[in-house]
mmCIF file of all heavy atoms in Angstrom:
data_model
loop_
_atom_site.group_PDB
_atom_site.id
_atom_site.type_symbol
_atom_site.label_atom_id
_atom_site.label_comp_id
_atom_site.label_asym_id
_atom_site.label_seq_id
_atom_site.Cartn_x
_atom_site.Cartn_y
_atom_site.Cartn_z
ATOM 1 N N THR N 1 44.948 38.210 4.154
ATOM 2 C CA THR N 1 44.329 37.025 3.547
ATOM 3 C C THR N 1 43.774 37.433 2.197
ATOM 4 O O THR N 1 42.969 38.356 2.101
ATOM 5 C CB THR N 1 43.215 36.461 4.444
ATOM 6 O OG1 THR N 1 43.762 36.144 5.715
ATOM 7 C CG2 THR N 1 42.589 35.231 3.825
ATOM 8 N N HIS N 2 44.231 36.753 1.161
ATOM 9 C CA HIS N 2 43.839 37.052 -0.212
ATOM 10 C C HIS N 2 42.854 35.988 -0.706
ATOM 11 O O HIS N 2 43.148 34.802 -0.639
ATOM 12 C CB HIS N 2 45.047 37.010 -1.162
ATOM 13 C CG HIS N 2 46.190 37.856 -0.731
ATOM 14 N ND1 HIS N 2 46.377 39.125 -1.195
ATOM 15 C CD2 HIS N 2 47.200 37.614 0.134
ATOM 16 C CE1 HIS N 2 47.469 39.625 -0.656
ATOM 17 N NE2 HIS N 2 47.984 38.733 0.156
ATOM 18 N N GLU N 3 41.742 36.427 -1.168
ATOM 19 C CA GLU N 3 40.807 35.523 -1.839
ATOM 20 C C GLU N 3 41.177 35.503 -3.319
ATOM 21 O O GLU N 3 41.427 36.550 -3.908
ATOM 22 C CB GLU N 3 39.364 36.000 -1.683
ATOM 23 C CG GLU N 3 38.863 36.034 -0.262
ATOM 24 C CD GLU N 3 38.560 34.661 0.315
ATOM 25 O OE1 GLU N 3 38.432 33.694 -0.464
ATOM 26 O OE2 GLU N 3 38.472 34.567 1.543
ATOM 27 N N ILE N 4 41.227 34.339 -3.906
ATOM 28 C CA ILE N 4 41.507 34.210 -5.328
ATOM 29 C C ILE N 4 40.201 33.821 -6.018
ATOM 30 O O ILE N 4 39.608 32.797 -5.714
ATOM 31 C CB ILE N 4 42.589 33.146 -5.616
ATOM 32 C CG1 ILE N 4 43.875 33.473 -4.855
ATOM 33 C CG2 ILE N 4 42.837 33.022 -7.109
ATOM 34 C CD1 ILE N 4 44.521 34.779 -5.253
ATOM 35 N N ASP N 5 39.740 34.678 -6.894
ATOM 36 C CA ASP N 5 38.513 34.416 -7.642
ATOM 37 C C ASP N 5 38.876 33.909 -9.025
ATOM 38 O O ASP N 5 39.989 34.122 -9.508
ATOM 39 C CB ASP N 5 37.676 35.697 -7.755
ATOM 40 C CG ASP N 5 37.164 36.167 -6.405
ATOM 41 O OD1 ASP N 5 36.946 35.316 -5.517
ATOM 42 O OD2 ASP N 5 36.994 37.377 -6.234
ATOM 43 N N GLU N 6 37.956 33.226 -9.635
ATOM 44 C CA GLU N 6 38.206 32.762 -10.994
ATOM 45 C C GLU N 6 36.945 32.863 -11.831
ATOM 46 O O GLU N 6 35.830 32.811 -11.316
ATOM 47 C CB GLU N 6 38.753 31.334 -11.003
ATOM 48 C CG GLU N 6 37.857 30.283 -10.418
ATOM 49 C CD GLU N 6 38.489 28.897 -10.438
ATOM 50 O OE1 GLU N 6 39.672 28.766 -10.131
ATOM 51 O OE2 GLU N 6 37.749 27.945 -10.747
ATOM 52 N N GLU N 7 37.168 33.037 -13.103
ATOM 53 C CA GLU N 7 36.072 33.130 -14.061
ATOM 54 C C GLU N 7 36.336 32.088 -15.137
ATOM 55 O O GLU N 7 37.420 32.029 -15.704
ATOM 56 C CB GLU N 7 36.055 34.533 -14.674
ATOM 57 C CG GLU N 7 34.885 34.794 -15.579
ATOM 58 C CD GLU N 7 34.868 36.246 -16.060
ATOM 59 O OE1 GLU N 7 35.702 37.045 -15.625
ATOM 60 O OE2 GLU N 7 34.011 36.547 -16.888
ATOM 61 N N VAL N 8 35.340 31.240 -15.391
ATOM 62 C CA VAL N 8 35.473 30.209 -16.419
ATOM 63 C C VAL N 8 34.694 30.669 -17.655
ATOM 64 O O VAL N 8 33.513 30.988 -17.573
ATOM 65 C CB VAL N 8 34.932 28.848 -15.923
ATOM 66 C CG1 VAL N 8 35.079 27.793 -16.993
ATOM 67 C CG2 VAL N 8 35.634 28.429 -14.625
ATOM 68 N N PHE N 9 35.390 30.690 -18.784
ATOM 69 C CA PHE N 9 34.778 31.141 -20.027
ATOM 70 C C PHE N 9 34.173 29.962 -20.780
ATOM 71 O O PHE N 9 34.454 28.800 -20.483
ATOM 72 C CB PHE N 9 35.820 31.859 -20.903
ATOM 73 C CG PHE N 9 36.317 33.133 -20.268
ATOM 74 C CD1 PHE N 9 37.477 33.145 -19.514
ATOM 75 C CD2 PHE N 9 35.605 34.317 -20.404
ATOM 76 C CE1 PHE N 9 37.931 34.308 -18.922
ATOM 77 C CE2 PHE N 9 36.051 35.485 -19.820
ATOM 78 C CZ PHE N 9 37.214 35.481 -19.066
ATOM 79 N N ALA N 10 33.332 30.272 -21.748
ATOM 80 C CA ALA N 10 32.625 29.241 -22.520
ATOM 81 C C ALA N 10 33.585 28.256 -23.183
ATOM 82 O O ALA N 10 33.270 27.071 -23.327
ATOM 83 C CB ALA N 10 31.736 29.899 -23.580
ATOM 84 N N ASP N 11 34.777 28.719 -23.565
ATOM 85 C CA ASP N 11 35.736 27.823 -24.222
ATOM 86 C C ASP N 11 36.530 26.980 -23.227
ATOM 87 O O ASP N 11 37.412 26.225 -23.590
ATOM 88 C CB ASP N 11 36.695 28.605 -25.122
ATOM 89 C CG ASP N 11 37.594 29.556 -24.344
ATOM 90 O OD1 ASP N 11 37.477 29.629 -23.096
ATOM 91 O OD2 ASP N 11 38.423 30.216 -24.991
ATOM 92 N N GLY N 12 36.213 27.114 -21.944
ATOM 93 C CA GLY N 12 36.863 26.306 -20.917
ATOM 94 C C GLY N 12 38.077 26.948 -20.285
ATOM 95 O O GLY N 12 38.629 26.410 -19.325
ATOM 96 N N THR N 13 38.530 28.068 -20.798
ATOM 97 C CA THR N 13 39.672 28.724 -20.182
ATOM 98 C C THR N 13 39.262 29.349 -18.850
ATOM 99 O O THR N 13 38.114 29.757 -18.672
ATOM 100 C CB THR N 13 40.280 29.817 -21.097
ATOM 101 O OG1 THR N 13 39.275 30.778 -21.388
ATOM 102 C CG2 THR N 13 40.833 29.230 -22.381
ATOM 103 N N VAL N 14 40.212 29.368 -17.953
ATOM 104 C CA VAL N 14 39.954 29.885 -16.615
ATOM 105 C C VAL N 14 40.862 31.080 -16.375
ATOM 106 O O VAL N 14 42.066 31.018 -16.607
ATOM 107 C CB VAL N 14 40.239 28.799 -15.549
ATOM 108 C CG1 VAL N 14 40.026 29.356 -14.148
ATOM 109 C CG2 VAL N 14 39.373 27.577 -15.777
ATOM 110 N N HIS N 15 40.265 32.165 -15.940
ATOM 111 C CA HIS N 15 41.010 33.367 -15.588
ATOM 112 C C HIS N 15 40.928 33.532 -14.082
ATOM 113 O O HIS N 15 39.845 33.639 -13.513
ATOM 114 C CB HIS N 15 40.410 34.596 -16.284
ATOM 115 C CG HIS N 15 41.005 35.890 -15.824
ATOM 116 N ND1 HIS N 15 42.282 36.273 -16.147
ATOM 117 C CD2 HIS N 15 40.490 36.869 -15.057
ATOM 118 C CE1 HIS N 15 42.533 37.445 -15.599
ATOM 119 N NE2 HIS N 15 41.450 37.834 -14.935
ATOM 120 N N LYS N 16 42.112 33.509 -13.420
ATOM 121 C CA LYS N 16 42.155 33.703 -11.971
ATOM 122 C C LYS N 16 42.619 35.121 -11.689
ATOM 123 O O LYS N 16 43.497 35.636 -12.372
ATOM 124 C CB LYS N 16 43.102 32.704 -11.326
ATOM 125 C CG LYS N 16 42.605 31.280 -11.446
ATOM 126 C CD LYS N 16 43.489 30.315 -10.697
ATOM 127 C CE LYS N 16 42.914 28.920 -10.840
ATOM 128 N NZ LYS N 16 43.611 27.948 -10.038
ATOM 129 N N TYR N 17 42.038 35.731 -10.692
ATOM 130 C CA TYR N 17 42.411 37.078 -10.308
ATOM 131 C C TYR N 17 42.237 37.255 -8.809
ATOM 132 O O TYR N 17 41.489 36.511 -8.170
ATOM 133 C CB TYR N 17 41.608 38.123 -11.083
ATOM 134 C CG TYR N 17 40.100 37.978 -10.938
ATOM 135 C CD1 TYR N 17 39.413 38.709 -9.985
ATOM 136 C CD2 TYR N 17 39.374 37.107 -11.753
ATOM 137 C CE1 TYR N 17 38.047 38.586 -9.840
ATOM 138 C CE2 TYR N 17 38.008 36.977 -11.621
ATOM 139 C CZ TYR N 17 37.349 37.711 -10.656
ATOM 140 O OH TYR N 17 35.994 37.578 -10.511
ATOM 141 N N GLU N 18 42.974 38.216 -8.296
ATOM 142 C CA GLU N 18 42.903 38.464 -6.871
ATOM 143 C C GLU N 18 41.585 39.127 -6.527
ATOM 144 O O GLU N 18 41.200 40.130 -7.126
ATOM 145 C CB GLU N 18 44.071 39.347 -6.432
ATOM 146 C CG GLU N 18 44.145 39.497 -4.944
ATOM 147 C CD GLU N 18 45.410 40.181 -4.481
ATOM 148 O OE1 GLU N 18 46.487 39.861 -5.001
ATOM 149 O OE2 GLU N 18 45.282 41.044 -3.607
ATOM 150 N N GLY N 19 40.912 38.535 -5.579
ATOM 151 C CA GLY N 19 39.639 39.089 -5.138
ATOM 152 C C GLY N 19 39.843 39.966 -3.920
ATOM 153 O O GLY N 19 40.765 40.778 -3.865
ATOM 154 N N SER N 20 39.051 39.757 -2.912
ATOM 155 C CA SER N 20 39.084 40.614 -1.728
ATOM 156 C C SER N 20 40.307 40.314 -0.855
ATOM 157 O O SER N 20 40.908 39.247 -0.925
ATOM 158 C CB SER N 20 37.801 40.423 -0.919
ATOM 159 O OG SER N 20 37.701 39.083 -0.479
ATOM 160 N N LYS N 21 40.652 41.295 -0.038
ATOM 161 C CA LYS N 21 41.731 41.163 0.932
ATOM 162 C C LYS N 21 41.167 41.483 2.311
ATOM 163 O O LYS N 21 40.330 42.364 2.450
ATOM 164 C CB LYS N 21 42.862 42.143 0.645
ATOM 165 C CG LYS N 21 43.645 41.877 -0.586
ATOM 166 C CD LYS N 21 44.738 42.922 -0.710
ATOM 167 C CE LYS N 21 45.482 42.766 -2.004
ATOM 168 N NZ LYS N 21 46.538 43.804 -2.135
ATOM 169 N N LYS N 22 41.660 40.766 3.297
ATOM 170 C CA LYS N 22 41.258 41.029 4.678
ATOM 171 C C LYS N 22 42.531 41.049 5.530
ATOM 172 O O LYS N 22 43.313 40.105 5.482
ATOM 173 C CB LYS N 22 40.315 39.943 5.181
ATOM 174 C CG LYS N 22 39.902 40.103 6.613
ATOM 175 C CD LYS N 22 39.035 38.943 7.068
ATOM 176 C CE LYS N 22 39.013 38.879 8.572
ATOM 177 N NZ LYS N 22 38.651 37.575 9.056
ATOM 178 N N TRP N 23 42.721 42.118 6.272
ATOM 179 C CA TRP N 23 43.890 42.256 7.129
ATOM 180 C C TRP N 23 43.540 41.839 8.551
ATOM 181 O O TRP N 23 42.445 42.097 9.030
ATOM 182 C CB TRP N 23 44.384 43.690 7.125
ATOM 183 C CG TRP N 23 45.044 44.068 5.857
ATOM 184 C CD1 TRP N 23 44.446 44.580 4.739
ATOM 185 C CD2 TRP N 23 46.425 43.933 5.542
ATOM 186 N NE1 TRP N 23 45.384 44.788 3.754
ATOM 187 C CE2 TRP N 23 46.609 44.400 4.227
ATOM 188 C CE3 TRP N 23 47.540 43.476 6.243
ATOM 189 C CZ2 TRP N 23 47.852 44.412 3.610
ATOM 190 C CZ3 TRP N 23 48.781 43.496 5.637
ATOM 191 C CH2 TRP N 23 48.928 43.956 4.337
ATOM 192 N N SER N 24 44.505 41.208 9.222
ATOM 193 C CA SER N 24 44.313 40.838 10.630
ATOM 194 C C SER N 24 45.674 40.749 11.300
ATOM 195 O O SER N 24 46.712 40.746 10.636
ATOM 196 C CB SER N 24 43.571 39.500 10.743
ATOM 197 O OG SER N 24 44.348 38.462 10.181
ATOM 198 N N GLY N 25 45.645 40.657 12.597
ATOM 199 C CA GLY N 25 46.870 40.481 13.359
ATOM 200 C C GLY N 25 47.100 39.014 13.641
ATOM 201 O O GLY N 25 46.219 38.176 13.423
ATOM 202 N N GLY N 26 48.281 38.696 14.128
ATOM 203 C CA GLY N 26 48.591 37.305 14.480
ATOM 204 C C GLY N 26 47.783 36.828 15.667
ATOM 205 O O GLY N 26 47.387 35.671 15.757
ATOM 206 N N TYR N 27 47.497 37.758 16.590
ATOM 207 C CA TYR N 27 46.684 37.434 17.749
ATOM 208 C C TYR N 27 45.225 37.692 17.406
ATOM 209 O O TYR N 27 44.865 38.802 17.021
ATOM 210 C CB TYR N 27 47.113 38.264 18.962
ATOM 211 C CG TYR N 27 46.328 37.941 20.206
ATOM 212 C CD1 TYR N 27 46.465 36.704 20.822
ATOM 213 C CD2 TYR N 27 45.439 38.850 20.748
ATOM 214 C CE1 TYR N 27 45.736 36.392 21.965
ATOM 215 C CE2 TYR N 27 44.713 38.564 21.890
ATOM 216 C CZ TYR N 27 44.871 37.325 22.488
ATOM 217 O OH TYR N 27 44.149 37.015 23.616
ATOM 218 N N LEU N 28 44.410 36.673 17.516
ATOM 219 C CA LEU N 28 43.005 36.785 17.131
ATOM 220 C C LEU N 28 42.082 37.133 18.296
ATOM 221 O O LEU N 28 40.912 37.412 18.094
ATOM 222 C CB LEU N 28 42.543 35.475 16.484
ATOM 223 C CG LEU N 28 43.358 35.029 15.266
ATOM 224 C CD1 LEU N 28 42.885 33.651 14.784
ATOM 225 C CD2 LEU N 28 43.270 36.051 14.150
ATOM 226 N N GLY N 29 42.622 37.094 19.514
ATOM 227 C CA GLY N 29 41.815 37.378 20.701
ATOM 228 C C GLY N 29 41.457 36.113 21.448
ATOM 229 O O GLY N 29 41.531 35.001 20.911
ATOM 230 N N ASP N 30 41.083 36.245 22.693
ATOM 231 C CA ASP N 30 40.683 35.128 23.549
ATOM 232 C C ASP N 30 41.728 34.007 23.570
ATOM 233 O O ASP N 30 41.388 32.823 23.570
ATOM 234 C CB ASP N 30 39.331 34.558 23.107
ATOM 235 C CG ASP N 30 38.190 35.546 23.261
ATOM 236 O OD1 ASP N 30 38.257 36.376 24.193
ATOM 237 O OD2 ASP N 30 37.244 35.496 22.453
ATOM 238 N N GLY N 31 43.008 34.387 23.569
ATOM 239 C CA GLY N 31 44.082 33.383 23.638
ATOM 240 C C GLY N 31 44.328 32.628 22.346
ATOM 241 O O GLY N 31 45.106 31.685 22.316
ATOM 242 N N GLU N 32 43.687 33.049 21.270
ATOM 243 C CA GLU N 32 43.821 32.369 19.976
ATOM 244 C C GLU N 32 44.744 33.151 19.047
ATOM 245 O O GLU N 32 44.710 34.373 19.013
ATOM 246 C CB GLU N 32 42.451 32.221 19.300
ATOM 247 C CG GLU N 32 41.463 31.359 20.063
ATOM 248 C CD GLU N 32 41.861 29.901 20.072
ATOM 249 O OE1 GLU N 32 42.339 29.395 19.047
ATOM 250 O OE2 GLU N 32 41.698 29.273 21.141
ATOM 251 N N PHE N 33 45.552 32.402 18.278
ATOM 252 C CA PHE N 33 46.449 32.993 17.300
ATOM 253 C C PHE N 33 46.128 32.465 15.912
ATOM 254 O O PHE N 33 45.524 31.407 15.774
ATOM 255 C CB PHE N 33 47.913 32.658 17.643
ATOM 256 C CG PHE N 33 48.412 33.350 18.883
ATOM 257 C CD1 PHE N 33 48.198 32.814 20.137
ATOM 258 C CD2 PHE N 33 49.065 34.562 18.790
ATOM 259 C CE1 PHE N 33 48.638 33.454 21.277
ATOM 260 C CE2 PHE N 33 49.517 35.218 19.920
ATOM 261 C CZ PHE N 33 49.300 34.657 21.167
ATOM 262 N N HIS N 34 46.561 33.207 14.904
ATOM 263 C CA HIS N 34 46.435 32.730 13.529
ATOM 264 C C HIS N 34 47.119 31.367 13.454
ATOM 265 O O HIS N 34 48.150 31.151 14.096
ATOM 266 C CB HIS N 34 47.107 33.722 12.572
ATOM 267 C CG HIS N 34 46.921 33.381 11.135
ATOM 268 N ND1 HIS N 34 47.708 32.457 10.500
ATOM 269 C CD2 HIS N 34 46.036 33.816 10.229
ATOM 270 C CE1 HIS N 34 47.326 32.342 9.248
ATOM 271 N NE2 HIS N 34 46.293 33.162 9.063
ATOM 272 N N PRO N 35 46.562 30.407 12.686
ATOM 273 C CA PRO N 35 47.117 29.048 12.655
ATOM 274 C C PRO N 35 48.623 28.965 12.344
ATOM 275 O O PRO N 35 49.281 28.077 12.857
ATOM 276 C CB PRO N 35 46.299 28.366 11.558
ATOM 277 C CG PRO N 35 45.024 29.125 11.482
ATOM 278 C CD PRO N 35 45.375 30.546 11.860
ATOM 279 N N LEU N 36 49.156 29.881 11.562
ATOM 280 C CA LEU N 36 50.569 29.821 11.199
ATOM 281 C C LEU N 36 51.452 30.684 12.091
ATOM 282 O O LEU N 36 52.683 30.625 11.989
ATOM 283 C CB LEU N 36 50.761 30.256 9.747
ATOM 284 C CG LEU N 36 50.111 29.387 8.684
ATOM 285 C CD1 LEU N 36 50.305 29.998 7.303
ATOM 286 C CD2 LEU N 36 50.686 27.986 8.721
ATOM 287 N N GLU N 37 50.871 31.481 12.948
ATOM 288 C CA GLU N 37 51.631 32.479 13.701
ATOM 289 C C GLU N 37 52.744 31.877 14.553
ATOM 290 O O GLU N 37 53.883 32.345 14.511
ATOM 291 C CB GLU N 37 50.686 33.317 14.565
ATOM 292 C CG GLU N 37 51.352 34.497 15.241
ATOM 293 C CD GLU N 37 51.753 35.604 14.277
ATOM 294 O OE1 GLU N 37 51.359 35.579 13.098
ATOM 295 O OE2 GLU N 37 52.469 36.507 14.714
ATOM 296 N N GLU N 38 52.446 30.852 15.313
ATOM 297 C CA GLU N 38 53.466 30.274 16.202
ATOM 298 C C GLU N 38 54.632 29.695 15.401
ATOM 299 O O GLU N 38 55.796 29.938 15.711
ATOM 300 C CB GLU N 38 52.843 29.196 17.089
ATOM 301 C CG GLU N 38 53.818 28.665 18.113
ATOM 302 C CD GLU N 38 53.182 27.688 19.085
ATOM 303 O OE1 GLU N 38 51.943 27.675 19.226
ATOM 304 O OE2 GLU N 38 53.940 26.930 19.695
ATOM 305 N N MET N 39 54.330 28.959 14.348
ATOM 306 C CA MET N 39 55.373 28.366 13.523
ATOM 307 C C MET N 39 56.227 29.447 12.863
ATOM 308 O O MET N 39 57.457 29.369 12.864
ATOM 309 C CB MET N 39 54.761 27.454 12.463
ATOM 310 C CG MET N 39 55.764 26.736 11.575
ATOM 311 S SD MET N 39 56.213 27.589 10.028
ATOM 312 C CE MET N 39 54.646 27.818 9.233
ATOM 313 N N LEU N 40 55.599 30.486 12.324
ATOM 314 C CA LEU N 40 56.338 31.557 11.668
ATOM 315 C C LEU N 40 57.190 32.345 12.664
ATOM 316 O O LEU N 40 58.340 32.683 12.372
ATOM 317 C CB LEU N 40 55.385 32.499 10.928
ATOM 318 C CG LEU N 40 54.732 31.898 9.687
ATOM 319 C CD1 LEU N 40 53.665 32.837 9.142
ATOM 320 C CD2 LEU N 40 55.775 31.606 8.625
ATOM 321 N N MET N 41 56.661 32.624 13.832
ATOM 322 C CA MET N 41 57.429 33.344 14.841
ATOM 323 C C MET N 41 58.639 32.521 15.291
ATOM 324 O O MET N 41 59.718 33.069 15.528
ATOM 325 C CB MET N 41 56.554 33.721 16.040
ATOM 326 C CG MET N 41 55.565 34.840 15.737
ATOM 327 S SD MET N 41 56.334 36.340 15.070
ATOM 328 C CE MET N 41 57.460 36.781 16.370
ATOM 329 N N ASP N 42 58.468 31.200 15.399
ATOM 330 C CA ASP N 42 59.605 30.334 15.740
ATOM 331 C C ASP N 42 60.686 30.424 14.668
ATOM 332 O O ASP N 42 61.876 30.507 14.967
ATOM 333 C CB ASP N 42 59.159 28.883 15.905
ATOM 334 C CG ASP N 42 58.381 28.644 17.192
ATOM 335 O OD1 ASP N 42 58.423 29.519 18.090
ATOM 336 O OD2 ASP N 42 57.749 27.580 17.306
ATOM 337 N N LYS N 43 60.283 30.411 13.394
ATOM 338 C CA LYS N 43 61.246 30.490 12.298
ATOM 339 C C LYS N 43 61.929 31.859 12.247
ATOM 340 O O LYS N 43 63.131 31.950 12.019
ATOM 341 C CB LYS N 43 60.570 30.166 10.973
ATOM 342 C CG LYS N 43 60.202 28.696 10.843
ATOM 343 C CD LYS N 43 59.759 28.355 9.463
ATOM 344 C CE LYS N 43 59.382 26.902 9.347
ATOM 345 N NZ LYS N 43 60.467 25.968 9.563
ATOM 346 N N ILE N 44 61.164 32.928 12.483
ATOM 347 C CA ILE N 44 61.753 34.270 12.514
ATOM 348 C C ILE N 44 62.738 34.369 13.676
ATOM 349 O O ILE N 44 63.850 34.901 13.530
ATOM 350 C CB ILE N 44 60.651 35.353 12.641
ATOM 351 C CG1 ILE N 44 59.776 35.381 11.382
ATOM 352 C CG2 ILE N 44 61.253 36.717 12.943
ATOM 353 C CD1 ILE N 44 60.467 35.881 10.135
ATOM 354 N N SER N 45 62.372 33.838 14.833
ATOM 355 C CA SER N 45 63.254 33.857 15.997
ATOM 356 C C SER N 45 64.545 33.090 15.711
ATOM 357 O O SER N 45 65.643 33.550 16.056
ATOM 358 C CB SER N 45 62.525 33.265 17.202
ATOM 359 O OG SER N 45 63.364 33.260 18.326
ATOM 360 N N ASP N 46 64.427 31.927 15.076
ATOM 361 C CA ASP N 46 65.614 31.142 14.706
ATOM 362 C C ASP N 46 66.495 31.917 13.731
ATOM 363 O O ASP N 46 67.727 31.904 13.856
ATOM 364 C CB ASP N 46 65.209 29.801 14.081
ATOM 365 C CG ASP N 46 64.605 28.833 15.080
ATOM 366 O OD1 ASP N 46 64.715 29.075 16.305
ATOM 367 O OD2 ASP N 46 64.003 27.836 14.630
ATOM 368 N N ALA N 47 65.878 32.600 12.776
ATOM 369 C CA ALA N 47 66.649 33.380 11.795
ATOM 370 C C ALA N 47 67.382 34.534 12.490
ATOM 371 O O ALA N 47 68.551 34.799 12.195
ATOM 372 C CB ALA N 47 65.723 33.919 10.700
#
């Protein structure tokens, strides 16, 4: 999971940059999965 940070300058321009990263597995524990995991696994299986 990538956080995207941004900095707004006085002239109104916005600079976006990659902030923190957090790694996790598809299985979150207690019978819960990452929200996209089931859909992605179905697509990988179909492929």
